[in-house]
Structure formats: structure tokens, C-alpha cells
Amino acid sequence: QLQRDLEEVKELLTKATRKRVRDVLEAEKHRLEMEIKNQPPPKPKDAAEEEKSSLGGYTVKINNYGWDQSDKFVKIYISLNGVQKLPAENVQVNFTERSFDLLVKNLNGKNYTMTFNNLLKPISVEGSSKKIKTDTVLVMCKKKREEKWDCLTQVEKESKEKEKAAYDTTDPSEGLMNILKKMYAEGDDEMKRTINKAWVESREKQYKGDIPMDI
């Protein structure tokens, strides 16, 4: 899916002529390339098929979590009722230097997954681990460097920086343009079509003289 998005952005870049539109597309292209680069490697087909067939039930994607950090660890807390009753092998966490994915199998007839790609900073695969507590899975990501993380992922950091830049500007029109760029970069196809249409209509009104010009 990410690769298809990237190909479409590249195609749009070849057609874009306006600098602002190209800037938006270049930013989105860079973000997608970083996300693809930091994805965990695909599992061998046989192993993936075997795991899939062993799951049974249906799989739920986990979106809610809490996190904090110490000097040495980033800790992610995932609430799952009754998880402590499962066999240890039913709770699996795979780590790479910039990602981890959690799989909880056959908890009350369902499977649960959570994936974090593009972690803000590198982690030690060997030093990272999981702990099962009452109704909670604790994922312990060992920091390679003992430094504070402002957020969990690179994407979150970029999003915060874009928002800050949009609201910190002293030029109101520039601030509006930054907000539109953010909406365009993160929006779906419908949002992008709406922004493009509004931009074109605005330019057409200016050319037709519907918008008064300063004399």
C-alpha cells in the first residue's frame, strides 16, 4: 500500500508545475520513503502462511496505548483484559532497530496486533523485551542512547513540527498556506481534490477580476 502511494506521488510530481504543489508532493514523497525504509522485513512466505493459518478467529488492530520512558527504556503499555492467562508463546513481539510489532493470539477468541514503524530513535533489539502483567502487555524498547524522546515515531515528530511552523509564522497568509499543505499531505484523495479545486477557483477569480486588486 505504501509503495503504491509513493508511485502515485512520484507520478504527480512529474506533472506538477507550481512550486508550492511540488513542495507539498516532495515532502509527502520523503515521508513515504522513510516509512517504507523503516518497515520490518517481510517474513518468509511459508512462515507467514503458517502463522496466519494458526491464528484462527479474527484479528483486531490495537490503536489505544499509553507510554512513558526512563533513561534507558521507552515503555509502551497495551491494555488487554485477561492477557495474563494466555500461554507465554501466545504473546509475541518482534523488534528491529526502528520498529516493533506485537501479536497476541487467541485471547477470548480474537487475535490482536499492533505495529510501530519509524520509531523516533534507534533501539537495541537484543536489549528490548516484553512483560505480561494483569490485563496489560508492557513492551520495553531499550534505547541505544540514553536521551529523552519527545514522541514515539518520526512521523509524530514531523507532524508536530509542521503544526508548530504553521501557527508560529508572523504572516497570516503563510500560516494558512502551511495549514493547507499539512491538510493536503495528510489528507485522502477527496481532501486533495477539494484543496486543488479551491486553489484553481481562487486563481480563476483573480484573473477574471472578481477579486478587487489593490491600486
Side-chain angles (χ1 to χ4, degrees), residues 43-57:
K43 295 177 182 176
K45 189 172 181 183
D46 291 347
E49 288 299 323
E50 183 180 331
E51 185 175 278
K52 191 174 180 182
S53 64
S54 69
L55 289 177

Side-chain angles (χ1 to χ4, degrees), residues 65-78 95 100 114 116 119 123 128-131 133 136-143 149 152:
Y65 63 91
W67 76 285
D68 64 11
Q69 59 185 308
S70 62
D71 290 339
K72 295 183 178 180
F73 287 91
V74 171
K75 306 169 188 177
I76 297 93
Y77 299 86
I78 300 107
F95 296 95
F100 74 84
M114 170 179 267
F116 271 93
L119 290 172
I123 62 173
S128 298
S129 61
K130 71 175 187 295
K131 291 183 179 179
K133 298 176 176 289
T136 302
V137 177
L138 171 58
V139 179
M140 307 273 291
C141 296
K142 189 173 191 306
K143 299 175 178 178
W149 289 26
L152 272 180

Side-chain angles (χ1 to χ4, degrees), residues 196-207 211:
N196 281 333
K197 183 181 177 186
W199 176 259
V200 170
E201 287 177 353
S202 170
R203 301 303 294 176
E204 284 177 350
K205 284 181 180 178
Q206 283 186 333
Y207 287 133
I211 296 176

Side-chain angles (χ1 to χ4, degrees), residues 187-200:
D188 56 16
D189 290 344
E190 187 62 34
M191 175 64 74
K192 288 173 181 172
R193 279 195 295 271
T194 302
I195 293 173
N196 281 333
K197 183 181 177 186
W199 176 259
V200 170

